Amino acid sequence: MPPSPLDLAALFDAAAGARGRAHAPYSRFAVGAALRDEHGAIHAGCNVENAAYPVGTCAEAGAIAAMILAGGRRIREILVLGDGSGLVTPCGACRQRIREFAAPATPIHAAGPEGVRRSFTLDALLPDSFGPETLVQEMLGD
Ligand code: THU
């Protein structure tokens, strides 16, 4: 069933709330992410930067960790929210993080403070990707 505008509004609100708690003193680029899992529960995260720059984590990673901790295992839809004139799409590493728990058709929404700017599928952002099935096929000798 396609998500209703109300589902999207709930995701947007959760991402906006999370973004307000970002720890981004170095880039000053606060990001919030929110996802809906297979139970319909919403999990959110924000970016958490570190004085040792590469140690910082993205908002998507926080939202995924929250989902796993709560018992969710599938991402049905995810929204990423940041400011600026460009599109805030998940970084390459986060596309792969999402890939672990999502399907090729899973919607990924790129939002600004005013609302969703553009929606993609996971497959559009990470085509021909490597995932859990690849390892399983290898283990089964397929
Ligand atoms: N960032 C995210 O949290 N998610 C994205 O999708 C893009 C980038 C963060 C990482 C870093 O803290 C800041 O935005 C600037 O790159």
Side-chain angles (χ1 to χ4, degrees), residues 9-47:
L11 271 188
F12 182 88
D13 289 349
R19 181 169 175 261
R21 300 205 164 153
H23 175 71
Y26 308 109
S27 72
R28 302 209 169 279
F29 193 78
V31 182
L35 64 86
R36 194 161 41 77
D37 71 14
E38 75 273 32
H39 309 295
I42 289 177
H43 310 282
C46 59
N47 52 338

mmCIF file of all heavy atoms in Angstrom, residues 9-47:
data_model
loop_
_atom_site.group_PDB
_atom_site.id
_atom_site.type_symbol
_atom_site.label_atom_id
_atom_site.label_comp_id
_atom_site.label_asym_id
_atom_site.label_seq_id
_atom_site.Cartn_x
_atom_site.Cartn_y
_atom_site.Cartn_z
ATOM 1 N N ALA A 9 3.918 13.045 6.585
ATOM 2 C CA ALA A 9 3.971 14.163 7.538
ATOM 3 C C ALA A 9 4.556 13.704 8.864
ATOM 4 O O ALA A 9 5.342 14.432 9.493
ATOM 5 C CB ALA A 9 2.577 14.750 7.742
ATOM 6 N N ALA A 10 4.206 12.498 9.296
ATOM 7 C CA ALA A 10 4.743 11.979 10.558
ATOM 8 C C ALA A 10 6.252 11.760 10.448
ATOM 9 O O ALA A 10 7.007 12.061 11.382
ATOM 10 C CB ALA A 10 4.035 10.674 10.926
ATOM 11 N N LEU A 11 6.681 11.262 9.293
ATOM 12 C CA LEU A 11 8.124 11.068 9.080
ATOM 13 C C LEU A 11 8.845 12.403 9.084
ATOM 14 O O LEU A 11 9.917 12.558 9.679
ATOM 15 C CB LEU A 11 8.381 10.386 7.726
ATOM 16 C CG LEU A 11 8.410 8.869 7.636
ATOM 17 C CD1 LEU A 11 8.879 8.466 6.248
ATOM 18 C CD2 LEU A 11 9.283 8.253 8.710
ATOM 19 N N PHE A 12 8.252 13.360 8.396
ATOM 20 C CA PHE A 12 8.855 14.695 8.315
ATOM 21 C C PHE A 12 8.987 15.308 9.707
ATOM 22 O O PHE A 12 10.042 15.846 10.075
ATOM 23 C CB PHE A 12 8.014 15.603 7.407
ATOM 24 C CG PHE A 12 8.606 16.974 7.241
ATOM 25 C CD1 PHE A 12 9.521 17.236 6.240
ATOM 26 C CD2 PHE A 12 8.256 18.012 8.113
ATOM 27 C CE1 PHE A 12 10.091 18.504 6.103
ATOM 28 C CE2 PHE A 12 8.823 19.270 7.982
ATOM 29 C CZ PHE A 12 9.734 19.520 6.978
ATOM 30 N N ASP A 13 7.931 15.220 10.493
ATOM 31 C CA ASP A 13 7.959 15.804 11.845
ATOM 32 C C ASP A 13 9.019 15.132 12.712
ATOM 33 O O ASP A 13 9.728 15.797 13.475
ATOM 34 C CB ASP A 13 6.587 15.669 12.509
ATOM 35 C CG ASP A 13 5.550 16.589 11.873
ATOM 36 O OD1 ASP A 13 5.941 17.464 11.070
ATOM 37 O OD2 ASP A 13 4.348 16.422 12.166
ATOM 38 N N ALA A 14 9.132 13.822 12.596
ATOM 39 C CA ALA A 14 10.130 13.098 13.391
ATOM 40 C C ALA A 14 11.542 13.511 12.969
ATOM 41 O O ALA A 14 12.430 13.698 13.814
ATOM 42 C CB ALA A 14 9.931 11.594 13.237
ATOM 43 N N ALA A 15 11.750 13.652 11.658
ATOM 44 C CA ALA A 15 13.080 14.054 11.173
ATOM 45 C C ALA A 15 13.398 15.487 11.607
ATOM 46 O O ALA A 15 14.540 15.798 11.982
ATOM 47 C CB ALA A 15 13.141 13.921 9.652
ATOM 48 N N ALA A 16 12.393 16.351 11.577
ATOM 49 C CA ALA A 16 12.617 17.744 11.981
ATOM 50 C C ALA A 16 12.962 17.819 13.469
ATOM 51 O O ALA A 16 13.860 18.576 13.873
ATOM 52 C CB ALA A 16 11.378 18.579 11.670
ATOM 53 N N GLY A 17 12.272 17.019 14.271
ATOM 54 C CA GLY A 17 12.577 16.988 15.704
ATOM 55 C C GLY A 17 13.991 16.496 15.967
ATOM 56 O O GLY A 17 14.725 17.057 16.787
ATOM 57 N N ALA A 18 14.370 15.448 15.249
ATOM 58 C CA ALA A 18 15.714 14.891 15.420
ATOM 59 C C ALA A 18 16.775 15.898 14.977
ATOM 60 O O ALA A 18 17.809 16.068 15.632
ATOM 61 C CB ALA A 18 15.838 13.593 14.614
ATOM 62 N N ARG A 19 16.500 16.559 13.877
ATOM 63 C CA ARG A 19 17.461 17.539 13.352
ATOM 64 C C ARG A 19 17.742 18.631 14.388
ATOM 65 O O ARG A 19 18.871 19.126 14.507
ATOM 66 C CB ARG A 19 16.928 18.143 12.053
ATOM 67 C CG ARG A 19 17.856 19.153 11.432
ATOM 68 C CD ARG A 19 17.412 19.520 10.026
ATOM 69 N NE ARG A 19 18.270 20.579 9.536
ATOM 70 C CZ ARG A 19 17.942 21.874 9.540
ATOM 71 N NH1 ARG A 19 16.763 22.261 9.974
ATOM 72 N NH2 ARG A 19 18.794 22.774 9.104
ATOM 73 N N GLY A 20 16.722 18.986 15.139
ATOM 74 C CA GLY A 20 16.882 19.996 16.185
ATOM 75 C C GLY A 20 17.841 19.573 17.289
ATOM 76 O O GLY A 20 18.281 20.420 18.075
ATOM 77 N N ARG A 21 18.143 18.303 17.337
ATOM 78 C CA ARG A 21 19.052 17.794 18.372
ATOM 79 C C ARG A 21 20.414 17.404 17.819
ATOM 80 O O ARG A 21 21.222 16.788 18.505
ATOM 81 C CB ARG A 21 18.421 16.595 19.055
ATOM 82 C CG ARG A 21 17.111 16.956 19.705
ATOM 83 C CD ARG A 21 16.782 16.041 20.847
ATOM 84 N NE ARG A 21 15.748 16.650 21.657
ATOM 85 C CZ ARG A 21 14.876 15.975 22.391
ATOM 86 N NH1 ARG A 21 14.938 14.664 22.414
ATOM 87 N NH2 ARG A 21 13.990 16.603 23.108
ATOM 88 N N ALA A 22 20.656 17.731 16.549
ATOM 89 C CA ALA A 22 21.932 17.356 15.932
ATOM 90 C C ALA A 22 23.106 17.957 16.695
ATOM 91 O O ALA A 22 23.003 19.045 17.283
ATOM 92 C CB ALA A 22 21.956 17.831 14.482
ATOM 93 N N HIS A 23 24.218 17.235 16.683
ATOM 94 C CA HIS A 23 25.480 17.758 17.227
ATOM 95 C C HIS A 23 26.385 17.978 16.018
ATOM 96 O O HIS A 23 27.027 17.037 15.536
ATOM 97 C CB HIS A 23 26.088 16.744 18.204
ATOM 98 C CG HIS A 23 27.431 17.167 18.713
ATOM 99 N ND1 HIS A 23 27.615 18.212 19.605
ATOM 100 C CD2 HIS A 23 28.670 16.685 18.459
ATOM 101 C CE1 HIS A 23 28.903 18.338 19.875
ATOM 102 N NE2 HIS A 23 29.571 17.432 19.183
ATOM 103 N N ALA A 24 26.349 19.192 15.494
ATOM 104 C CA ALA A 24 27.081 19.481 14.253
ATOM 105 C C ALA A 24 27.869 20.782 14.382
ATOM 106 O O ALA A 24 27.708 21.705 13.566
ATOM 107 C CB ALA A 24 26.114 19.543 13.074
ATOM 108 N N PRO A 25 28.750 20.878 15.406
ATOM 109 C CA PRO A 25 29.469 22.136 15.617
ATOM 110 C C PRO A 25 30.546 22.399 14.568
ATOM 111 O O PRO A 25 30.991 23.541 14.430
ATOM 112 C CB PRO A 25 30.099 21.941 17.000
ATOM 113 C CG PRO A 25 30.254 20.470 17.152
ATOM 114 C CD PRO A 25 29.092 19.864 16.414
ATOM 115 N N TYR A 26 30.968 21.358 13.834
ATOM 116 C CA TYR A 26 32.086 21.525 12.899
ATOM 117 C C TYR A 26 31.587 21.888 11.506
ATOM 118 O O TYR A 26 32.049 22.856 10.901
ATOM 119 C CB TYR A 26 32.963 20.265 12.895
ATOM 120 C CG TYR A 26 33.352 19.926 14.320
ATOM 121 C CD1 TYR A 26 32.811 18.823 14.973
ATOM 122 C CD2 TYR A 26 34.189 20.783 15.042
ATOM 123 C CE1 TYR A 26 33.119 18.557 16.302
ATOM 124 C CE2 TYR A 26 34.490 20.528 16.370
ATOM 125 C CZ TYR A 26 33.950 19.423 17.001
ATOM 126 O OH TYR A 26 34.244 19.181 18.317
ATOM 127 N N SER A 27 30.618 21.153 11.000
ATOM 128 C CA SER A 27 30.072 21.484 9.672
ATOM 129 C C SER A 27 28.971 22.541 9.781
ATOM 130 O O SER A 27 28.661 23.211 8.809
ATOM 131 C CB SER A 27 29.492 20.231 9.010
ATOM 132 O OG SER A 27 28.289 19.831 9.637
ATOM 133 N N ARG A 28 28.359 22.634 10.936
ATOM 134 C CA ARG A 28 27.172 23.476 11.133
ATOM 135 C C ARG A 28 26.048 23.080 10.176
ATOM 136 O O ARG A 28 25.215 23.908 9.792
ATOM 137 C CB ARG A 28 27.507 24.967 10.990
ATOM 138 C CG ARG A 28 28.575 25.417 11.965
ATOM 139 C CD ARG A 28 28.441 26.882 12.334
ATOM 140 N NE ARG A 28 29.301 27.223 13.447
ATOM 141 C CZ ARG A 28 29.011 26.999 14.730
ATOM 142 N NH1 ARG A 28 27.874 26.428 15.066
ATOM 143 N NH2 ARG A 28 29.856 27.334 15.691
ATOM 144 N N PHE A 29 26.051 21.836 9.768
ATOM 145 C CA PHE A 29 25.028 21.324 8.855
ATOM 146 C C PHE A 29 24.232 20.253 9.605
ATOM 147 O O PHE A 29 24.631 19.077 9.652
ATOM 148 C CB PHE A 29 25.688 20.761 7.590
ATOM 149 C CG PHE A 29 24.715 20.493 6.474
ATOM 150 C CD1 PHE A 29 24.231 21.541 5.696
ATOM 151 C CD2 PHE A 29 24.283 19.208 6.208
ATOM 152 C CE1 PHE A 29 23.325 21.298 4.674
ATOM 153 C CE2 PHE A 29 23.376 18.960 5.183
ATOM 154 C CZ PHE A 29 22.903 20.007 4.417
ATOM 155 N N ALA A 30 23.146 20.685 10.212
ATOM 156 C CA ALA A 30 22.331 19.757 11.003
ATOM 157 C C ALA A 30 21.441 18.924 10.085
ATOM 158 O O ALA A 30 20.825 19.447 9.153
ATOM 159 C CB ALA A 30 21.466 20.535 11.986
ATOM 160 N N VAL A 31 21.398 17.637 10.358
ATOM 161 C CA VAL A 31 20.587 16.718 9.550
ATOM 162 C C VAL A 31 19.728 15.873 10.487
ATOM 163 O O VAL A 31 20.171 15.455 11.562
ATOM 164 C CB VAL A 31 21.483 15.786 8.695
ATOM 165 C CG1 VAL A 31 20.627 14.863 7.823
ATOM 166 C CG2 VAL A 31 22.431 16.598 7.820
ATOM 167 N N GLY A 32 18.500 15.629 10.058
ATOM 168 C CA GLY A 32 17.624 14.692 10.762
ATOM 169 C C GLY A 32 17.156 13.639 9.783
ATOM 170 O O GLY A 32 16.997 13.909 8.588
ATOM 171 N N ALA A 33 16.959 12.439 10.269
ATOM 172 C CA ALA A 33 16.423 11.361 9.422
ATOM 173 C C ALA A 33 15.357 10.633 10.213
ATOM 174 O O ALA A 33 15.448 10.522 11.446
ATOM 175 C CB ALA A 33 17.528 10.389 9.006
ATOM 176 N N ALA A 34 14.340 10.154 9.506
ATOM 177 C CA ALA A 34 13.313 9.347 10.162
ATOM 178 C C ALA A 34 12.874 8.256 9.202
ATOM 179 O O ALA A 34 12.788 8.477 7.987
ATOM 180 C CB ALA A 34 12.116 10.208 10.570
ATOM 181 N N LEU A 35 12.636 7.089 9.755
ATOM 182 C CA LEU A 35 12.214 5.959 8.922
ATOM 183 C C LEU A 35 11.024 5.271 9.577
ATOM 184 O O LEU A 35 10.806 5.362 10.779
ATOM 185 C CB LEU A 35 13.383 4.985 8.731
ATOM 186 C CG LEU A 35 13.937 4.268 9.967
ATOM 187 C CD1 LEU A 35 13.160 2.994 10.291
ATOM 188 C CD2 LEU A 35 15.411 3.947 9.772
ATOM 189 N N ARG A 36 10.259 4.593 8.731
ATOM 190 C CA ARG A 36 9.135 3.782 9.200
ATOM 191 C C ARG A 36 9.507 2.323 9.000
ATOM 192 O O ARG A 36 9.954 1.940 7.913
ATOM 193 C CB ARG A 36 7.874 4.160 8.409
ATOM 194 C CG ARG A 36 6.574 3.656 8.986
ATOM 195 C CD ARG A 36 5.379 4.431 8.429
ATOM 196 N NE ARG A 36 5.510 4.700 7.017
ATOM 197 C CZ ARG A 36 5.296 3.781 6.059
ATOM 198 N NH1 ARG A 36 4.942 2.563 6.356
ATOM 199 N NH2 ARG A 36 5.438 4.113 4.788
ATOM 200 N N ASP A 37 9.345 1.510 10.051
ATOM 201 C CA ASP A 37 9.734 0.105 9.944
ATOM 202 C C ASP A 37 8.548 -0.776 9.565
ATOM 203 O O ASP A 37 7.445 -0.290 9.295
ATOM 204 C CB ASP A 37 10.428 -0.364 11.228
ATOM 205 C CG ASP A 37 9.473 -0.499 12.419
ATOM 206 O OD1 ASP A 37 8.239 -0.500 12.229
ATOM 207 O OD2 ASP A 37 9.982 -0.612 13.558
ATOM 208 N N GLU A 38 8.760 -2.087 9.559
ATOM 209 C CA GLU A 38 7.720 -3.028 9.109
ATOM 210 C C GLU A 38 6.558 -3.143 10.085
ATOM 211 O O GLU A 38 5.518 -3.700 9.753
ATOM 212 C CB GLU A 38 8.334 -4.412 8.849
ATOM 213 C CG GLU A 38 8.683 -5.230 10.091
ATOM 214 C CD GLU A 38 10.074 -4.939 10.643
ATOM 215 O OE1 GLU A 38 10.562 -3.793 10.531
ATOM 216 O OE2 GLU A 38 10.672 -5.881 11.213
ATOM 217 N N HIS A 39 6.722 -2.601 11.283
ATOM 218 C CA HIS A 39 5.621 -2.584 12.254
ATOM 219 C C HIS A 39 4.861 -1.263 12.214
ATOM 220 O O HIS A 39 3.925 -1.060 12.982
ATOM 221 C CB HIS A 39 6.162 -2.795 13.674
ATOM 222 C CG HIS A 39 7.052 -3.990 13.802
ATOM 223 N ND1 HIS A 39 6.598 -5.275 13.609
ATOM 224 C CD2 HIS A 39 8.381 -4.106 14.088
ATOM 225 C CE1 HIS A 39 7.607 -6.130 13.761
ATOM 226 N NE2 HIS A 39 8.696 -5.445 14.049
ATOM 227 N N GLY A 40 5.309 -0.334 11.388
ATOM 228 C CA GLY A 40 4.680 0.975 11.327
ATOM 229 C C GLY A 40 5.289 1.966 12.304
ATOM 230 O O GLY A 40 4.880 3.123 12.359
ATOM 231 N N ALA A 41 6.274 1.512 13.070
ATOM 232 C CA ALA A 41 6.912 2.410 14.049
ATOM 233 C C ALA A 41 7.907 3.336 13.351
ATOM 234 O O ALA A 41 8.554 2.951 12.364
ATOM 235 C CB ALA A 41 7.620 1.596 15.125
ATOM 236 N N ILE A 42 8.011 4.532 13.868
ATOM 237 C CA ILE A 42 8.939 5.528 13.316
ATOM 238 C C ILE A 42 10.151 5.654 14.225
ATOM 239 O O ILE A 42 10.017 5.701 15.460
ATOM 240 C CB ILE A 42 8.223 6.888 13.154
ATOM 241 C CG1 ILE A 42 7.216 6.793 12.008
ATOM 242 C CG2 ILE A 42 9.217 8.012 12.900
ATOM 243 C CD1 ILE A 42 6.395 8.035 11.775
ATOM 244 N N HIS A 43 11.330 5.693 13.618
ATOM 245 C CA HIS A 43 12.588 5.848 14.356
ATOM 246 C C HIS A 43 13.364 6.998 13.725
ATOM 247 O O HIS A 43 13.426 7.101 12.505
ATOM 248 C CB HIS A 43 13.410 4.562 14.297
ATOM 249 C CG HIS A 43 12.626 3.346 14.669
ATOM 250 N ND1 HIS A 43 12.350 3.024 15.979
ATOM 251 C CD2 HIS A 43 11.997 2.423 13.905
ATOM 252 C CE1 HIS A 43 11.610 1.928 16.002
ATOM 253 N NE2 HIS A 43 11.381 1.537 14.770
ATOM 254 N N ALA A 44 13.965 7.816 14.567
ATOM 255 C CA ALA A 44 14.647 9.008 14.057
ATOM 256 C C ALA A 44 16.081 9.062 14.551
ATOM 257 O O ALA A 44 16.456 8.392 15.530
ATOM 258 C CB ALA A 44 13.885 10.259 14.502
ATOM 259 N N GLY A 45 16.880 9.846 13.853
ATOM 260 C CA GLY A 45 18.264 10.054 14.258
ATOM 261 C C GLY A 45 18.761 11.390 13.753
ATOM 262 O O GLY A 45 18.146 12.012 12.872
ATOM 263 N N CYS A 46 19.865 11.848 14.332
ATOM 264 C CA CYS A 46 20.494 13.101 13.897
ATOM 265 C C CYS A 46 21.983 12.837 13.702
ATOM 266 O O CYS A 46 22.505 11.833 14.182
ATOM 267 C CB CYS A 46 20.276 14.197 14.936
ATOM 268 S SG CYS A 46 20.923 13.796 16.569
ATOM 269 N N ASN A 47 22.646 13.752 12.996
ATOM 270 C CA ASN A 47 24.087 13.580 12.868
ATOM 271 C C ASN A 47 24.773 13.955 14.179
ATOM 272 O O ASN A 47 24.327 14.865 14.906
ATOM 273 C CB ASN A 47 24.668 14.343 11.668
ATOM 274 C CG ASN A 47 24.302 15.797 11.594
ATOM 275 O OD1 ASN A 47 23.315 16.235 12.175
ATOM 276 N ND2 ASN A 47 25.090 16.565 10.880
#
